[in-house]
Amino acid sequence: DTGVSQDPRHKITKRGQNVTFRCDPISEHNRLYWYRQTLGQGPEFLTYFQNEAQLEKSRLLSDRFSAERPKGSFSTLEIQRTEQGDSAMYLCASRGSRGVTEAFFGQGTRLTVV
Amino acid sequence: DAKTTQPPSMDCAEGRAANLPCNHSTISGNEYVYWYRQIHSQGPQYIIHGLKNNETNEMASLIITEDRKSSTLILPHATLRDTAVYYCIDPSGSARQLTFGSGTQLTVLP
């Protein structure tokens, strides 16, 4: 257990439905990252928060994707009008701000769009 | 895009040292190299990071060449539980996000 929690662990949804995932980072970590991982590939960066501010977004983050981190604590990632190509593992990581620090990953949310 | 190069797969006998190489020839002078591993269906797990000196922790050792263009992760006594995909990472972007490549699939054989 790294201290980063993600919920749910698995989600099956029908194409066209909206889904929302939650990430609870390590409490003192002010940096939070979302990644997506498809089968056989390494995780791909989606977006980054420093406290409540979303400071960087990948071009992979289409307009159907939105992420929030209200109050700089937990974060949510919402996918609207899901497509089969959205099927993937969605990973969250958090990182402290002091010095050179490692990122800690959650166990991910496995999304299957049918 | 990932800025590191790793062999796609390696085998190692149980109890022997596993040496996983990585090329990171474009790494900047003040950037650390990070190593993570991912066991099937789990989130990536931090192993070790280093700048220019060799590093050791309870999991592994990291040897970085003097020119910092490559490094080797050493698992001194590999066990079956070390079977995983190992990623060598040169952080990039303003967020210093970890940019993962395809990694090396290490298989520890009994």
Side-chain angles (χ1 to χ4, degrees), chain B residues 71-83:
Chain B
S71 61
T72 300
L73 180 75
I74 301 172
L75 308 179
H77 306 286
T79 71
L80 298 178
R81 289 179 296 178
D82 291 323
T83 292

Side-chain angles (χ1 to χ4, degrees), chain B residues 12 57 90 104:
Chain B
C12 176
N57 63 20
D90 169 13
T104 296

Side-chain angles (χ1 to χ4, degrees), chain A residues 84-104:
Chain A
Q84 285 191 319
D86 297 331
S87 295
M89 174 80 84
Y90 290 85
L91 292 158
C92 173
S94 73
R95 198 171 189 182
S97 61
R98 295 183 181 277
V100 178
T101 61
E102 63 269 32
F104 294 90

